[in-house]
Amino acid sequence: MELSGAHVVITGGSRGIGLAIARAMVAQGARLTLVGRDRARLEEACREVSGLAVAADLADEQQLARVLPAAQAAHGPVDVLVNNAGVNVASPLGRCSAQDLRTMMLTNLYAPLELTRSLLGPMLARRRGVIVNISSLAGDWAMRSAVGYGSTKAGLTLATRTLQRELKGTGVVALLVVLGLVDTDMTAGAAESDPFARAGMERFAKQLAPLPPELVARRVVDALAQDRRRDLVLPATAAPLHKLGKINTRVADLLFARLPPSY
Ligand SMILES: NC(=O)c1ccc[n+]([C@@H]2O[C@H](COP(=O)([O-])OP(=O)(O)OC[C@H]3O[C@@H](n4cnc5c(N)ncnc54)[C@H](OP(=O)(O)O)[C@@H]3O)[C@@H](O)[C@H]2O)c1
């Protein structure tokens, strides 16, 4: 997709990976809408990238419903939605509060799907649009202290694969981005809140060093500019394992081949 002039909505664009993606997008000439809860931090990010700030808690149904109308009123139809906002409260399930569990489910899984659902009508009508879902290796692996977080990411990964099949031939694309450790507040927060998560991350980091968010952002922007369809897995050394996990889907594709299109 030509990013110059494209309207790109980035959830969680106020810091971490989302802000790095916003900076990389604006360098390509994209027009940005950024979403986050902390209004002051969001507005600061938006000043830097000349973006529209939509302060909203995506875990709140009413605030979630305001996001796309506000973005579209200011910048017109959305060309790219980057479902990036995420929360990871690391703990074994028995020690996770009901509120933390709910916040992860709503922010990491329900909100991306609901934003996507709302955008599909206009995107399909224009035969144009990309949905970028930022998922995690925690959604491929069964990691202790990540029952909540990992299941939301597994859900997002499966939802993206399913969308790719539903959207075939429509001109609308769903791109799956699967990340290992990235050096952000989220990684530090998860390590602080849970001893297993801290030890697990230390072990992981010895094998695969945490990535800088700027590198992730560059690769996401390149993927969009090059109309990439294949999953983007970072670090790339994790890609073969991720690919192995797709065998079930490939077998199911054979079973469901040549059925009528979804749209
Ligand atoms: N860091 C990693 O190692 C890693 C690895 C794999 C995947 N990921 C994924 O990458 C994405 C970005 O993570 P990150 O590391 O950049 O995290 P981060 O530094 O903690 O940033 C999270 C962003 O999401 C926003 N956010 C969180 N909850 C929200 C809510 N309920 N409503 C609206 N905005 C919300 C935050 O802003 P406010 O707090 O102001 O709302 C912030 O902008 C996430 O989906 C994460 O799961 C990260």
Side-chain angles (χ1 to χ4, degrees):
M1 171 176 287
E2 172 60 58
L3 288 171
S4 179
H7 179 193
V8 180
V9 175
I10 305 173
T11 67
S14 54
R15 56 193 164 90
I17 297 166
L19 178 56
I21 293 175
R23 288 174 175 144
M25 290 278 189
V26 87
Q28 299 297 314
R31 294 172 301 123
L32 301 179
T33 298
L34 306 187
V35 185
R37 290 166 301 183
D38 181 331
R39 183 181 290 276
R41 202 192 314 236
L42 183 70
E43 286 177 349
E44 193 184 322
C46 282
R47 269 193 298 278
E48 184 191 329
V49 297
S50 306
L52 169 76
V54 179
D57 181 350
L58 297 173
D60 179 297
E61 185 89 42
Q62 285 174 355
Q63 295 183 43
L64 175 64
R66 285 204 327 256
V67 169
L68 292 174
Q72 286 157 329
H75 282 323
V78 176
D79 298 299
V80 180
L81 168 67
V82 184
N83 282 313
N84 164 79
V87 188
N88 179 8
V89 185
S91 71
L93 186 61
R95 293 204 197 109
C96 184
S97 72
Q99 185 172 346
D100 285 341
L101 186 60
R102 194 178 157 76
T103 300
M104 285 189 279
M105 296 288 160
L106 292 172
T107 309
N108 302 2
L109 184 57
Y110 178 71
L113 297 192
E114 172 53 17
L115 292 173
T116 303
R117 190 194 66 78
S118 308
L119 274 183
L120 280 179
M123 282 185 169
L124 288 167
R126 297 171 69 219
R127 298 189 62 80
R128 172 182 165 87
V130 184
I131 308 293
V132 181
N133 286 336
I134 308 289
S135 195
S136 167
L137 286 175
D140 283 4
W141 305 349
M143 288 173 61
R144 283 163 54 194
S145 294
V147 171
Y149 179 74
S151 53
T152 63
K153 292 301 182 181
L156 189 63
T157 292
L158 181 65
T160 315
R161 287 196 183 134
T162 311
L163 264 173
Q164 287 164 344
R165 284 152 179 81
E166 290 181 357
L167 293 173
K168 218 169 185 166
T170 64
V172 183
V173 170
L175 176 68
L176 178 64
V177 179
V178 180
L179 302 177
L181 279 183
V182 185
D183 200 2
T184 65
D185 295 348
M186 176 179 282
T187 326
E192 258 167 44
S193 63
D194 180 75
F196 175 82
R198 182 170 54 247
M201 282 181 195
E202 280 167 9
R203 193 173 293 181
F204 187 100
K206 274 188 196 149
Q207 304 300 322
L208 299 169
L211 301 170
E214 294 74 21
L215 182 146
V216 175
R218 259 199 320 276
R219 295 297 309 277
V220 168
V221 165
D222 288 349
L224 282 165
Q226 294 160 8
D227 294 325
R228 183 184 173 113
R229 301 286 188 270
R230 277 176 302 120
D231 299 351
L232 174 61
V233 184
L234 298 171
T237 36
L241 262 185
H242 172 76
K243 207 169 176 184
L244 269 181
K246 287 167 67 170
I247 286 176
N248 279 338
T249 311
R250 293 274 183 236
V251 173
D253 283 345
L254 296 176
L255 181 66
F256 300 126
R258 289 184 296 281
L259 289 180
S262 301
Y263 295 102

